[in-house]
Amino acid sequence: PDTVSNLRTDLEATLRVHPVPLADDWASWAEEIASARPTLLVLLPHHLQQGGFDQLEIGGDKRKSMQIRIEHVRSSQDPDARPIVLLIGCQTNAAKVDLEGFVPAFQDAGAVIIVSTIASVLGRQAGPAAAAIAQELKKQEGNPDATFGEVMLAVRRRLLVEGTPMVLGLTSYGDADWRIGAADGDDH
């Protein structure tokens, strides 16, 4: 029951953003993106299949993959922004219909990298996994040679050592060689 509040506390400590914006539904999600213009998006959604469609749910508000738009990934004020999306919930990488999954939907809307899951996960696992990824990203900030692939490897190692095997169910899509610490304007 405390997954979201614990994750928010961890993210505030790691990212030094107070408060970390919180969305209760898809409309507030888009509003927060428009105002905060984040480079890291963290979703701990419920994934379900209903009416023949895969859906993600935030606070009871459901959205099909074909309903994910640019405003769910980046601000209209940042047309060139390419945020990282942590889409960590039950089987967020699964799609009943090929090419209608959430990973390609977020990618098409402008995400540079999407971390998703291939298995069912519990909130008590999803929150700490998202926090660990954010912590490793922050740790690599300013390191022009750090890549996202290295971040994921470090997170997998750390969580496995800590006894969290669910980390093996995380997948990342995008460029594994995308440079985390490169200065603005440099090739990522």
Side-chain angles (χ1 to χ4, degrees), residues 135-186:
Q135 290 161 359
E136 189 62 29
L137 286 168
K138 187 67 173 178
K139 180 178 170 185
Q140 297 302 328
E141 188 176 69
N143 176 356
D145 297 323
T147 65
F148 191 80
E150 292 166 342
V151 165
M152 286 304 296
L153 179 59
V155 168
R156 283 188 177 100
R157 286 177 174 162
R158 176 180 142 199
L159 292 181
L160 280 172
V161 166
E162 292 174 4
T164 308
M166 71 71 64
V167 74
L168 296 175
L170 293 180
T171 59
S172 55
Y173 292 86
D175 185 357
D177 289 332
W178 190 76
R179 299 205 181 274
I180 301 301
D184 289 341
D186 290 350

Short mmCIF file of all heavy atoms in Angstrom, two decimals, residues 135-186:
data_model
loop_
_atom_site.label_atom_id
_atom_site.label_comp_id
_atom_site.label_asym_id
_atom_site.label_seq_id
_atom_site.Cartn_x
_atom_site.Cartn_y
_atom_site.Cartn_z
N GLN A 135 18.39 5.89 -9.28
CA GLN A 135 19.62 6.11 -8.51
C GLN A 135 20.85 5.89 -9.37
O GLN A 135 21.81 6.66 -9.32
CB GLN A 135 19.64 5.20 -7.29
CG GLN A 135 18.63 5.58 -6.25
CD GLN A 135 18.32 4.46 -5.27
OE1 GLN A 135 18.84 3.36 -5.35
NE2 GLN A 135 17.42 4.75 -4.32
N GLU A 136 20.83 4.83 -10.18
CA GLU A 136 21.98 4.55 -11.04
C GLU A 136 22.12 5.61 -12.14
O GLU A 136 23.23 6.01 -12.49
CB GLU A 136 21.89 3.16 -11.65
CG GLU A 136 23.14 2.71 -12.36
CD GLU A 136 24.38 2.59 -11.48
OE1 GLU A 136 24.26 2.34 -10.27
OE2 GLU A 136 25.49 2.75 -12.02
N LEU A 137 21.00 6.07 -12.68
CA LEU A 137 21.05 7.16 -13.68
C LEU A 137 21.67 8.41 -13.06
O LEU A 137 22.52 9.06 -13.67
CB LEU A 137 19.64 7.47 -14.20
CG LEU A 137 19.04 6.47 -15.17
CD1 LEU A 137 17.56 6.75 -15.38
CD2 LEU A 137 19.79 6.49 -16.50
N LYS A 138 21.24 8.75 -11.85
CA LYS A 138 21.77 9.93 -11.17
C LYS A 138 23.25 9.76 -10.87
O LYS A 138 24.04 10.70 -11.01
CB LYS A 138 20.98 10.18 -9.88
CG LYS A 138 21.33 11.46 -9.19
CD LYS A 138 20.89 12.66 -10.02
CE LYS A 138 21.08 13.96 -9.26
NZ LYS A 138 20.72 15.11 -10.07
N LYS A 139 23.64 8.56 -10.49
CA LYS A 139 25.04 8.27 -10.18
C LYS A 139 25.92 8.51 -11.42
O LYS A 139 27.06 8.95 -11.30
CB LYS A 139 25.16 6.82 -9.71
CG LYS A 139 26.54 6.37 -9.35
CD LYS A 139 26.48 4.93 -8.86
CE LYS A 139 27.84 4.32 -8.71
NZ LYS A 139 27.75 2.89 -8.35
N GLN A 140 25.39 8.24 -12.59
CA GLN A 140 26.16 8.38 -13.83
C GLN A 140 26.06 9.77 -14.46
O GLN A 140 26.70 10.04 -15.46
CB GLN A 140 25.71 7.32 -14.85
CG GLN A 140 25.96 5.90 -14.41
CD GLN A 140 27.42 5.63 -14.12
OE1 GLN A 140 28.33 6.20 -14.72
NE2 GLN A 140 27.68 4.76 -13.14
N GLU A 141 25.26 10.64 -13.85
CA GLU A 141 25.10 12.00 -14.37
C GLU A 141 26.47 12.69 -14.46
O GLU A 141 27.25 12.65 -13.52
CB GLU A 141 24.19 12.78 -13.43
CG GLU A 141 23.77 14.13 -13.93
CD GLU A 141 22.79 14.77 -12.98
OE1 GLU A 141 23.20 15.15 -11.86
OE2 GLU A 141 21.62 14.88 -13.36
N GLY A 142 26.74 13.28 -15.60
CA GLY A 142 28.01 13.96 -15.80
C GLY A 142 29.12 13.06 -16.33
O GLY A 142 30.17 13.55 -16.70
N ASN A 143 28.89 11.76 -16.36
CA ASN A 143 29.88 10.84 -16.91
C ASN A 143 29.59 10.68 -18.40
O ASN A 143 28.64 9.98 -18.77
CB ASN A 143 29.81 9.49 -16.20
CG ASN A 143 30.75 8.45 -16.78
OD1 ASN A 143 31.43 8.69 -17.77
ND2 ASN A 143 30.78 7.28 -16.17
N PRO A 144 30.37 11.31 -19.28
CA PRO A 144 30.05 11.29 -20.71
C PRO A 144 30.16 9.91 -21.35
O PRO A 144 29.66 9.71 -22.45
CB PRO A 144 31.05 12.27 -21.31
CG PRO A 144 32.18 12.31 -20.35
CD PRO A 144 31.59 12.06 -19.00
N ASP A 145 30.78 8.97 -20.66
CA ASP A 145 30.96 7.63 -21.23
C ASP A 145 29.91 6.63 -20.74
O ASP A 145 29.87 5.50 -21.23
CB ASP A 145 32.35 7.10 -20.91
CG ASP A 145 33.44 7.95 -21.55
OD1 ASP A 145 33.22 8.42 -22.69
OD2 ASP A 145 34.48 8.16 -20.91
N ALA A 146 29.09 7.01 -19.78
CA ALA A 146 28.11 6.08 -19.22
C ALA A 146 26.98 5.83 -20.22
O ALA A 146 26.45 6.76 -20.81
CB ALA A 146 27.53 6.65 -17.93
N THR A 147 26.62 4.56 -20.39
CA THR A 147 25.54 4.20 -21.31
C THR A 147 24.37 3.62 -20.53
O THR A 147 24.53 3.15 -19.40
CB THR A 147 26.00 3.17 -22.36
OG1 THR A 147 26.31 1.95 -21.68
CG2 THR A 147 27.20 3.67 -23.16
N PHE A 148 23.21 3.64 -21.16
CA PHE A 148 22.04 3.08 -20.49
C PHE A 148 22.20 1.58 -20.28
O PHE A 148 21.75 1.05 -19.26
CB PHE A 148 20.75 3.38 -21.28
CG PHE A 148 19.55 3.05 -20.47
CD1 PHE A 148 19.10 3.93 -19.51
CD2 PHE A 148 18.88 1.85 -20.62
CE1 PHE A 148 18.00 3.63 -18.71
CE2 PHE A 148 17.78 1.53 -19.83
CZ PHE A 148 17.35 2.42 -18.88
N GLY A 149 22.83 0.89 -21.21
CA GLY A 149 23.09 -0.54 -21.03
C GLY A 149 23.89 -0.83 -19.77
O GLY A 149 23.61 -1.78 -19.04
N GLU A 150 24.86 0.02 -19.48
CA GLU A 150 25.66 -0.14 -18.26
C GLU A 150 24.82 0.13 -17.02
O GLU A 150 24.99 -0.53 -15.99
CB GLU A 150 26.87 0.79 -18.30
CG GLU A 150 27.87 0.40 -19.36
CD GLU A 150 28.90 1.49 -19.65
OE1 GLU A 150 28.67 2.66 -19.30
OE2 GLU A 150 29.94 1.15 -20.25
N VAL A 151 23.91 1.09 -17.12
CA VAL A 151 23.01 1.37 -16.00
C VAL A 151 22.17 0.14 -15.69
O VAL A 151 22.05 -0.27 -14.54
CB VAL A 151 22.13 2.60 -16.31
CG1 VAL A 151 20.95 2.70 -15.35
CG2 VAL A 151 22.96 3.87 -16.28
N MET A 152 21.57 -0.44 -16.72
CA MET A 152 20.72 -1.62 -16.50
C MET A 152 21.51 -2.80 -15.95
O MET A 152 21.03 -3.51 -15.08
CB MET A 152 19.99 -2.00 -17.79
CG MET A 152 18.86 -1.07 -18.15
SD MET A 152 17.60 -0.87 -16.86
CE MET A 152 16.93 -2.52 -16.76
N LEU A 153 22.72 -2.99 -16.44
CA LEU A 153 23.56 -4.07 -15.91
C LEU A 153 23.86 -3.85 -14.44
O LEU A 153 23.75 -4.77 -13.62
CB LEU A 153 24.87 -4.17 -16.71
CG LEU A 153 25.85 -5.24 -16.26
CD1 LEU A 153 25.23 -6.64 -16.33
CD2 LEU A 153 27.13 -5.16 -17.10
N ALA A 154 24.21 -2.63 -14.06
CA ALA A 154 24.50 -2.33 -12.65
C ALA A 154 23.27 -2.54 -11.78
O ALA A 154 23.37 -3.08 -10.67
CB ALA A 154 25.02 -0.89 -12.53
N VAL A 155 22.11 -2.13 -12.27
CA VAL A 155 20.87 -2.30 -11.50
C VAL A 155 20.55 -3.78 -11.35
O VAL A 155 20.18 -4.24 -10.26
CB VAL A 155 19.70 -1.53 -12.16
CG1 VAL A 155 18.36 -1.93 -11.56
CG2 VAL A 155 19.92 -0.03 -12.06
N ARG A 156 20.68 -4.53 -12.41
CA ARG A 156 20.41 -5.99 -12.32
C ARG A 156 21.33 -6.64 -11.30
O ARG A 156 20.89 -7.44 -10.47
CB ARG A 156 20.55 -6.63 -13.70
CG ARG A 156 19.37 -6.38 -14.60
CD ARG A 156 19.47 -7.21 -15.88
NE ARG A 156 18.30 -7.00 -16.69
CZ ARG A 156 18.25 -6.20 -17.74
NH1 ARG A 156 19.34 -5.54 -18.13
NH2 ARG A 156 17.13 -6.04 -18.41
N ARG A 157 22.60 -6.32 -11.37
CA ARG A 157 23.55 -6.91 -10.42
C ARG A 157 23.19 -6.55 -8.99
O ARG A 157 23.17 -7.40 -8.11
CB ARG A 157 24.97 -6.42 -10.73
CG ARG A 157 25.57 -7.04 -11.95
CD ARG A 157 26.93 -6.47 -12.24
NE ARG A 157 27.58 -7.15 -13.33
CZ ARG A 157 28.60 -6.67 -14.02
NH1 ARG A 157 29.10 -5.49 -13.72
NH2 ARG A 157 29.13 -7.36 -15.00
N ARG A 158 22.93 -5.27 -8.76
CA ARG A 158 22.63 -4.80 -7.40
C ARG A 158 21.38 -5.47 -6.85
O ARG A 158 21.38 -5.97 -5.73
CB ARG A 158 22.45 -3.29 -7.41
CG ARG A 158 22.05 -2.73 -6.07
CD ARG A 158 21.89 -1.24 -6.10
NE ARG A 158 20.77 -0.87 -5.26
CZ ARG A 158 20.15 0.27 -5.33
NH1 ARG A 158 20.51 1.17 -6.22
NH2 ARG A 158 19.15 0.53 -4.53
N LEU A 159 20.31 -5.50 -7.63
CA LEU A 159 19.06 -6.06 -7.13
C LEU A 159 19.14 -7.58 -6.96
O LEU A 159 18.51 -8.13 -6.05
CB LEU A 159 17.89 -5.65 -8.01
CG LEU A 159 17.54 -4.15 -7.95
CD1 LEU A 159 16.35 -3.85 -8.84
CD2 LEU A 159 17.28 -3.70 -6.53
N LEU A 160 19.90 -8.24 -7.82
CA LEU A 160 20.08 -9.69 -7.63
C LEU A 160 20.83 -9.98 -6.33
O LEU A 160 20.46 -10.88 -5.58
CB LEU A 160 20.81 -10.30 -8.82
CG LEU A 160 19.94 -10.59 -10.04
CD1 LEU A 160 20.79 -11.02 -11.23
CD2 LEU A 160 18.90 -11.65 -9.73
N VAL A 161 21.87 -9.20 -6.06
CA VAL A 161 22.63 -9.38 -4.83
C VAL A 161 21.73 -9.12 -3.62
O VAL A 161 21.84 -9.79 -2.59
CB VAL A 161 23.87 -8.46 -4.80
CG1 VAL A 161 24.49 -8.37 -3.42
CG2 VAL A 161 24.91 -8.95 -5.81
N GLU A 162 20.81 -8.17 -3.76
CA GLU A 162 19.89 -7.83 -2.67
C GLU A 162 18.73 -8.83 -2.55
O GLU A 162 17.89 -8.70 -1.67
CB GLU A 162 19.33 -6.42 -2.85
CG GLU A 162 20.38 -5.34 -2.69
CD GLU A 162 19.86 -3.95 -3.03
OE1 GLU A 162 18.65 -3.78 -3.31
OE2 GLU A 162 20.67 -3.01 -2.99
N GLY A 163 18.67 -9.82 -3.46
CA GLY A 163 17.63 -10.84 -3.38
C GLY A 163 16.33 -10.49 -4.08
O GLY A 163 15.27 -10.92 -3.66
N THR A 164 16.42 -9.73 -5.17
CA THR A 164 15.24 -9.33 -5.93
C THR A 164 15.34 -9.89 -7.35
O THR A 164 15.73 -9.20 -8.28
CB THR A 164 15.12 -7.79 -5.97
OG1 THR A 164 15.20 -7.29 -4.64
CG2 THR A 164 13.81 -7.36 -6.60
N PRO A 165 14.97 -11.17 -7.54
CA PRO A 165 15.11 -11.78 -8.87
C PRO A 165 14.18 -11.21 -9.93
O PRO A 165 14.40 -11.40 -11.11
CB PRO A 165 14.82 -13.27 -8.61
CG PRO A 165 14.03 -13.29 -7.35
CD PRO A 165 14.47 -12.11 -6.55
N MET A 166 13.13 -10.46 -9.53
CA MET A 166 12.22 -9.89 -10.52
C MET A 166 12.94 -8.99 -11.50
O MET A 166 12.46 -8.75 -12.59
CB MET A 166 11.07 -9.13 -9.88
CG MET A 166 11.39 -7.80 -9.20
SD MET A 166 11.83 -6.32 -10.15
CE MET A 166 10.38 -6.00 -11.07
N VAL A 167 14.12 -8.51 -11.13
CA VAL A 167 14.88 -7.62 -12.01
C VAL A 167 15.24 -8.32 -13.33
O VAL A 167 15.44 -7.66 -14.35
CB VAL A 167 16.12 -7.06 -11.29
CG1 VAL A 167 17.21 -8.11 -11.16
CG2 VAL A 167 16.65 -5.83 -12.01
N LEU A 168 15.25 -9.65 -13.32
CA LEU A 168 15.53 -10.39 -14.56
C LEU A 168 14.36 -10.30 -15.54
O LEU A 168 14.50 -10.61 -16.71
CB LEU A 168 15.87 -11.85 -14.25
CG LEU A 168 17.15 -12.05 -13.44
CD1 LEU A 168 17.32 -13.52 -13.09
CD2 LEU A 168 18.35 -11.52 -14.19
N GLY A 169 13.20 -9.86 -15.06
CA GLY A 169 12.03 -9.68 -15.91
C GLY A 169 11.93 -8.29 -16.50
O GLY A 169 10.97 -7.98 -17.20
N LEU A 170 12.92 -7.43 -16.23
CA LEU A 170 12.93 -6.09 -16.82
C LEU A 170 13.58 -6.15 -18.20
O LEU A 170 14.61 -6.79 -18.38
CB LEU A 170 13.72 -5.11 -15.95
CG LEU A 170 13.14 -4.76 -14.59
CD1 LEU A 170 14.06 -3.78 -13.87
CD2 LEU A 170 11.75 -4.18 -14.72
N THR A 171 12.96 -5.48 -19.14
CA THR A 171 13.52 -5.36 -20.48
C THR A 171 13.69 -3.88 -20.79
O THR A 171 12.95 -3.04 -20.27
CB THR A 171 12.59 -5.98 -21.54
OG1 THR A 171 11.32 -5.32 -21.48
CG2 THR A 171 12.39 -7.47 -21.30
N SER A 172 14.67 -3.57 -21.61
CA SER A 172 14.81 -2.16 -22.01
C SER A 172 14.90 -2.12 -23.53
O SER A 172 15.57 -2.93 -24.16
CB SER A 172 16.04 -1.52 -21.36
OG SER A 172 17.20 -2.24 -21.61
N TYR A 173 14.18 -1.17 -24.08
CA TYR A 173 14.10 -0.97 -25.53
C TYR A 173 14.62 0.40 -25.86
O TYR A 173 14.35 1.36 -25.15
CB TYR A 173 12.66 -1.14 -26.01
CG TYR A 173 12.19 -2.56 -25.88
CD1 TYR A 173 11.66 -3.01 -24.67
CD2 TYR A 173 12.34 -3.45 -26.93
CE1 TYR A 173 11.27 -4.32 -24.53
CE2 TYR A 173 11.94 -4.77 -26.79
CZ TYR A 173 11.41 -5.19 -25.59
OH TYR A 173 11.03 -6.50 -25.44
N GLY A 174 15.33 0.48 -26.93
CA GLY A 174 15.96 1.72 -27.35
C GLY A 174 17.43 1.44 -27.56
O GLY A 174 17.85 0.29 -27.72
N ASP A 175 18.22 2.45 -27.51
CA ASP A 175 19.65 2.34 -27.77
C ASP A 175 20.40 2.07 -26.47
O ASP A 175 20.53 2.95 -25.63
CB ASP A 175 20.13 3.64 -28.42
CG ASP A 175 21.58 3.59 -28.85
OD1 ASP A 175 22.27 2.57 -28.59
OD2 ASP A 175 22.04 4.57 -29.44
N ALA A 176 20.90 0.85 -26.31
CA ALA A 176 21.64 0.49 -25.10
C ALA A 176 22.92 1.31 -24.97
O ALA A 176 23.44 1.50 -23.87
CB ALA A 176 21.99 -1.00 -25.10
N ASP A 177 23.42 1.84 -26.09
CA ASP A 177 24.62 2.67 -26.07
C ASP A 177 24.31 4.15 -25.90
O ASP A 177 25.19 4.99 -26.03
CB ASP A 177 25.43 2.46 -27.36
CG ASP A 177 26.09 1.09 -27.40
OD1 ASP A 177 26.38 0.54 -26.32
OD2 ASP A 177 26.31 0.58 -28.50
N TRP A 178 23.03 4.48 -25.62
CA TRP A 178 22.65 5.87 -25.41
C TRP A 178 23.42 6.40 -24.22
O TRP A 178 23.42 5.81 -23.14
CB TRP A 178 21.14 5.95 -25.17
CG TRP A 178 20.59 7.33 -25.19
CD1 TRP A 178 20.36 8.12 -26.26
CD2 TRP A 178 20.20 8.09 -24.05
NE1 TRP A 178 19.84 9.32 -25.87
CE2 TRP A 178 19.73 9.34 -24.50
CE3 TRP A 178 20.19 7.85 -22.68
CZ2 TRP A 178 19.27 10.32 -23.66
CZ3 TRP A 178 19.73 8.82 -21.83
CH2 TRP A 178 19.28 10.05 -22.33
N ARG A 179 24.09 7.50 -24.40
CA ARG A 179 24.96 8.06 -23.36
C ARG A 179 24.17 8.89 -22.36
O ARG A 179 23.53 9.86 -22.72
CB ARG A 179 26.06 8.87 -24.01
CG ARG A 179 26.92 7.99 -24.91
CD ARG A 179 28.30 8.54 -25.09
NE ARG A 179 29.07 7.67 -25.97
CZ ARG A 179 29.74 6.61 -25.58
NH1 ARG A 179 29.75 6.28 -24.31
NH2 ARG A 179 30.40 5.87 -26.43
N ILE A 180 24.27 8.50 -21.13
CA ILE A 180 23.54 9.13 -20.02
C ILE A 180 24.08 10.50 -19.71
O ILE A 180 23.35 11.47 -19.58
CB ILE A 180 23.62 8.26 -18.75
CG1 ILE A 180 23.05 6.87 -19.00
CG2 ILE A 180 22.95 8.94 -17.57
CD1 ILE A 180 21.63 6.86 -19.45
N GLY A 181 25.39 10.63 -19.59
CA GLY A 181 26.00 11.86 -19.09
C GLY A 181 26.46 12.81 -20.15
O GLY A 181 27.15 13.78 -19.83
N ALA A 182 26.12 12.59 -21.42
CA ALA A 182 26.58 13.50 -22.48
C ALA A 182 25.95 14.87 -22.29
O ALA A 182 24.81 15.00 -21.87
CB ALA A 182 26.23 12.94 -23.85
N ALA A 183 26.71 15.89 -22.62
CA ALA A 183 26.22 17.27 -22.51
C ALA A 183 25.12 17.51 -23.54
O ALA A 183 25.08 16.88 -24.58
CB ALA A 183 27.37 18.25 -22.71
N ASP A 184 24.23 18.46 -23.23
CA ASP A 184 23.17 18.82 -24.19
C ASP A 184 23.79 19.17 -25.53
O ASP A 184 24.80 19.87 -25.59
CB ASP A 184 22.35 20.01 -23.68
CG ASP A 184 21.48 19.62 -22.51
OD1 ASP A 184 21.24 18.41 -22.33
OD2 ASP A 184 21.02 20.53 -21.80
N GLY A 185 23.17 18.68 -26.57
CA GLY A 185 23.66 18.94 -27.91
C GLY A 185 24.58 17.85 -28.42
O GLY A 185 24.83 17.75 -29.61
N ASP A 186 25.17 17.05 -27.50
CA ASP A 186 26.02 15.94 -27.93
C ASP A 186 25.13 14.81 -28.39
O ASP A 186 23.99 14.69 -27.98
CB ASP A 186 26.90 15.44 -26.77
CG ASP A 186 27.98 16.42 -26.38
OD1 ASP A 186 28.18 17.40 -27.14
OD2 ASP A 186 28.60 16.22 -25.33
#
